[in-house]
Amino acid sequence: MDGADDRPGQMTTPVTALDADAMPSLRCRACGMQYPAQQAPGRCSCGGLLDLDIAVPSGLDRDVFTRRLASHDLLDRSGVWRYREFLVPLPSPVIVTRPEGNTNLYPVPRIAQWAGCAQLWLKHEGENPTGSFKDRGMTVAVSHARWIGARAVACASTGNTSASVAAYAALAGLPAVVFLPEGKITAAKLGQAIAYGARIVQIRGDFDAAMRLVQEASAAFGLYLLNSVNPFRLLGQQTIMFEMLHQLAWDAPDWIVLPGGNLGNTAAFGQALVRAHAAGLIARLPRLATVQAEGAAPFYAAFQRRFTAFSPVQAETIATAIRIGNPVNYERARDAIVATDGVVTAVSDAEILEAKAMIDRAGIGCEPASAAAVAGLRRLISEGVIDAKSNVVAVLTGHVLKDPETIMAMHQTAAEPSPAWVNRPIVVEPTLAALREVLDALA
Ligand SMILES: *Cc1c(COP(=O)(O)O)cnc(C)c1O
Ligand SMILES: [Zn+2]
């Protein structure tokens, strides 16, 4: 590609902490086979998932992260690369960053009261450059793709991954192919992927069919796979936890609640918390609570069977970002729940929409899949699984503008009586008399 010098995402300042000779290798979870990091991480020849053989940083000075907040270097400004001691030592010229992360952690006492817990924070990953946490994984994985000289990148997506892949591939000057389940993703997400210039392939089938196909296609045609089977993506997503703990001055919360679809975040959060604890950044491990939609809850079913068996399901839910029946990260996510003494639950679409209305009405907003986390928190507190005295962080995974279709549908519901939060736009004559009637009705 020409014009490499003026790409906004390209770093030119060398970062001495990064050393290209020190790249960790990839190791199969199933058979232990090792692969060099110079190749695209698909699956092991035995079919197993590949993990990075990566060390826990030692001798860390917490203040270094805070000092980087005042820097103008893009790698310091990135909420991912700020925590680079936990990442891989890619040479800085290959790194592609927007810079992502830097998402707010909102104290929300009214939502805490509604959910029933003492203290609740919302970590809003919808504030990333393309509107979801996927950007945190993409900055690491797309940079790795450039480092190994990948010709093209690919993913299957329920929407947000494709938007993020399309943006980061464009920044890197790499062609991108995205596989989408036809008719199953929101116009906002599809629009982003189209606008950023990815090749869009719509599959006659669901996300799980698209996921199966892209894994076969990547192996057959040498495409660099950017789904969360890719451990470089999960490494980037670990920084959601590092940044959140940093924002809490390394005073870990009791619980972290998140939605679960392909279960990449569940896996990444577990790994991040264990590493932060081992590195001495936090004194105790918070517990993870993963929340699935009832119609797409194979992980919850496995949890109920104490992880003795796993069966995929045919997925259906209004929360399209977690409409996944055969999550690729099942084994990694299971380890994360076990390591953090975590739990898994499931909530109905009605519970998801009620939680979304609470988060939206608070002036914060999120897409339906993100609201599942808060709906699950409320359920777990009512069941006594999470103690009401707990200090909880819920992770909002995507922006409110990602799914206007659902907003319109939920506020035009014909349900009787309509929920108190329903907010129907009205039409009036352009007269003061008509307006007075409307304003008199305001509480
Ligand atoms: C991708 C995505 C999820 C699912 O995350 P997993 O790591 O696959 O479990 C949840 N919410 C949103 C908004 C997403 O984009
Ligand atoms: Zn193997």
Side-chain angles (χ1 to χ4, degrees), residues 203-257:
I203 305 294
R204 295 196 186 93
D206 58 10
F207 169 81
D208 296 296
M211 187 69 229
R212 201 179 326 113
L213 184 62
V214 78
Q215 291 188 78
E216 289 171 17
S218 300
F221 304 128
L223 301 169
Y224 185 100
L225 182 60
L226 282 171
N227 282 98
S228 54
V229 285
N230 183 322
F232 292 96
R233 247 196 66 185
L234 297 191
L235 200 55
Q237 289 170 211
Q238 286 189 22
T239 63
I240 301 170
M241 292 294 97
F242 303 139
E243 190 179 78
M244 175 272 291
L245 293 167
H246 188 187
Q247 287 166 312
L248 292 175
W250 309 105
D251 185 9
D254 301 309
W255 286 91
I256 293 153
V257 189

Side-chain angles (χ1 to χ4, degrees), residues 43 49 133-134 155-158 161 207-208 210-212 214-215 225-230 233-234 237 258-268 290-292 296 298-299 310 320-334:
R43 282 179 186 264
L49 292 167
F133 72 83
K134 301 297 197 298
C155 72
S157 178
T158 58
T161 300
F207 169 81
D208 296 296
M211 187 69 229
R212 201 179 326 113
V214 78
Q215 291 188 78
L225 182 60
L226 282 171
N227 282 98
S228 54
V229 285
N230 183 322
R233 247 196 66 185
L234 297 191
Q237 289 170 211
L258 73 158
N262 229 357
L263 302 175
N265 265 342
T266 302
T290 295
V291 185
Q292 297 208 286
F299 192 47
F310 174 80
T320 51
I322 51 174
R323 191 176 180 278
I324 295 174
N326 191 13
V328 295
N329 288 295
Y330 168 68
E331 288 156 39
R332 289 169 174 156
R334 177 197 61 202

Side-chain angles (χ1 to χ4, degrees), residues 27-35 43-50:
R27 185 192 294 274
C28 172
R29 298 173 62 91
C31 75
M33 175 100 106
Q34 275 188 283
Y35 296 85
R43 282 179 186 264
C44 178
S45 50
C46 83
L49 292 167
L50 301 179

Side-chain angles (χ1 to χ4, degrees), residues 415-426:
E416 283 298 338
S418 60
W421 43 259
V422 162
N423 182 21
R424 270 193 207 94
I426 54 167

